[in-house]
Amino acid sequence: MTNFKAVVIEDIQVNRLVVLAVKEKENEISIRLAQEGEVLDFLATRAITEGEEVYVTIKNREIWKVEAGADIQAGVPVGTGEDGKIVEALGENAPAIIGYSINAAKAGEVVSYVRNVKGGGEGIPGRKAQKATRVLMDSRRKNSGTN
């Protein structure tokens, strides 16, 4: 678990999705309410107000509780809707999927959802597995006293 200080640049209600904001000042982290279609960064666990300095704690929770922006069925993909709420991510114009609901909820109620955390791209390729396996086998031989 880790935490850092951030400045809130707009009022944010409890159980809403939050994102990093464009830097207002140098060497200062700012946060704001997530908007429709954005991939979230954090969850507001209490109401916070514009200008407030808060400590953001990263807990790596897999299940988050967020206010539903519309009726949500259990077991469907969800995405970020307006004002940091979640909505079903079904159909042609659905927002990016951020997870799936584990209970049904009416608009305005809190819904639990399992976060769908994925990597951020392919990155630079590493060594091939064969080479890594060979190195591991060689080190085992040295440790066992056989060659």
Side-chain angles (χ1 to χ4, degrees):
M1 188 165 56
T2 188
N3 63 16
F4 58 89
K5 186 167 62 172
V7 176
V8 182
I9 64 169
E10 64 181 320
D11 291 348
I12 300 174
Q13 298 302 311
V14 67
N15 297 323
R16 300 288 179 94
L17 301 173
V18 178
V19 295
L20 287 172
V22 174
K23 289 190 173 209
E24 297 285 316
K25 295 180 184 173
E26 215 173 296
N27 295 318
E28 179 180 272
I29 299 172
S30 300
I31 59 174
R32 65 171 173 77
L33 195 60
Q35 292 304 312
E36 188 173 357
E38 288 186 313
V39 177
L40 61 117
D41 293 313
F42 316 108
L43 170 67
T45 56
R46 68 174 178 84
I48 48 182
T49 57
E50 181 180 349
E52 186 177 348
E53 287 188 347
V54 297
Y55 281 93
V56 176
T57 303
I58 308 298
K59 296 182 179 179
N60 294 324
R61 290 186 177 154
E62 293 178 2
I63 298 176
W64 285 11
K65 295 182 178 192
V66 180
E67 185 176 334
D71 293 354
I72 295 178
Q73 303 172 63
V76 297
V78 293
T80 307
E82 292 181 13
D83 299 322
K85 300 176 185 179
I86 62 171
V87 295
E88 290 183 350
L90 301 170
E92 192 173 301
N93 295 320
I97 295 171
I98 60 171
Y100 59 90
S101 61
I102 57 174
N103 65 285
K106 300 281 185 197
E109 294 179 344
V110 174
V111 62
S112 294
Y113 83 95
V114 176
R115 292 177 56 218
N116 186 14
V117 181
K118 295 190 177 185
E122 291 189 28
I124 300 170
R127 286 196 254 174
K128 292 183 180 180
Q130 292 175 330
K131 290 180 183 177
T133 303
R134 191 174 312 129
V135 170
L136 177 62
M137 291 173 65
D138 288 344
S139 70
R140 284 185 182 163
R141 281 189 202 135
K142 288 177 186 175
N143 292 335
S144 69
T146 60
N147 281 333

